[in-house]
């Protein structure tokens, strides 16, 4: 049985790891800002999402400063950004905790963007992906770097029916911005 077989409309979970962050002395982890490279890469991630036709209906974003800034810079690349919900449970969450948050997404949302952190995001991706196109699964297993994007597709009536192994990992993109 294919990871994309099943009943219900096609849904896409687009996972974005925050852009490269700085490590200023004395700044708590939650408050860390983006590094200069992150400020270049986050807009590139937004452009990559648009180019891949993966603009979301809704974005869920960790409350950490680096994830919020990644969202701001990425979504500024789109004509009309979708609604965003800052979600405290995404900060420091593992894969199963992330899945619980995703399962609460309203039924009308077909493409969801989840912006968060390592190691929870790769745990979620590998847990949900029953299969992957090309070398996508191997790439996530080796490293899911800052600004990386993973696209998971699955059929289901509602988000709360998303189960481990039910999705197909269709793409992994690692956009990088240019130094100016």
């Amino acid at each position: 049985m294919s990871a994309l077989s099943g009943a219900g409309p096609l849904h896409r979970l687009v996972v974005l790891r925050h852009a490269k962050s700085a490590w200023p002395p004395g700044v708590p982890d939650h408050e860390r800002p983006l590094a200069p490279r992150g400020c270049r890469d986050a807009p590139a991630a937004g452009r990559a999402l648009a180019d891949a036709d993966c603009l979301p209906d809704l974005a869920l974003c960790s409350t950490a400063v680096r994830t919020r800034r990644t969202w701001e810079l990425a979504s500024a690349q789109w004509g009309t950004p979708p609604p965003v919900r800052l979600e405290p449970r995404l900060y420091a969450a593992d894969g199963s905790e992330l899945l619980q948050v995703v399962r609460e997404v309203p039924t009308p949302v077909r493409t969801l963007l989840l912006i968060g952190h390592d190691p929870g995001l790769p745990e979620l991706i590998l847990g949900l992906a029953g299969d992957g196109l090309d070398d996508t699964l191997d790439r996530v297993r080796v490293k899911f770097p800052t600004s990386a994007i993973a696209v998971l597709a699955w059929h289901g009536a509602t988000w709360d029916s998303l189960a481990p192994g039910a999705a197909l990992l269709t793409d992994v993109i690692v956009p990088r911005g240019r130094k100016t």
Side-chain angles (χ1 to χ4, degrees):
M1 178 181 241
S2 161
L4 273 184
S5 63
L10 180 67
H11 289 76
R12 291 185 303 174
L13 174 59
V14 181
V15 178
L16 170 61
R17 183 174 173 202
H18 64 78
K20 184 72 174 172
S21 59
W23 294 84
V27 173
D29 183 73
H30 190 271
E31 305 306 312
R32 288 178 25 228
L34 290 182
R37 189 178 101 196
C39 291
R40 292 190 305 270
D41 291 350
R47 290 188 297 274
L49 288 168
D51 291 347
D53 195 25
C54 281
L55 296 184
D57 302 314
L58 173 69
L60 299 179
C61 183
S62 162
T63 56
V65 168
R66 60 193 178 274
T67 51
R68 294 191 332 252
R69 188 67 179 138
T70 298
W71 161 252
E72 291 166 1
L73 293 170
S75 65
Q77 305 303 305
W78 313 328
T80 305
V84 62
R85 190 174 84 208
L86 297 179
E87 177 53 69
R89 295 176 294 165
L90 299 181
Y91 179 72
D94 65 21
S96 63
E97 292 166 324
L98 293 172
L99 180 56
Q100 284 306 114
V101 174
V102 168
R103 285 180 171 159
E104 297 170 10
V105 170
T107 299
V109 173
R110 294 288 181 254
T111 300
L112 173 67
L113 175 61
L114 186 68
I115 307 169
H117 309 270
D118 186 59
L121 292 181
E123 287 175 13
L124 176 69
I125 295 162
L126 294 172
L128 290 176
D131 201 358
L133 297 181
D134 302 321
D135 65 345
T136 54
L137 283 169
D138 288 336
R139 290 177 63 199
V140 173
R141 282 185 193 112
V142 170
K143 185 174 186 183
F144 194 66
T146 55
S147 298
I149 299 165
V151 181
L152 294 144
W154 64 282
H155 285 279
T158 61
W159 286 94
D160 66 356
S161 66
L162 180 56
L168 176 68
L169 182 57
T170 62
D171 207 355
V172 175
I173 307 161
V174 183
R176 294 290 184 231
R178 287 189 239 199
K179 289 184 181 179
T180 55

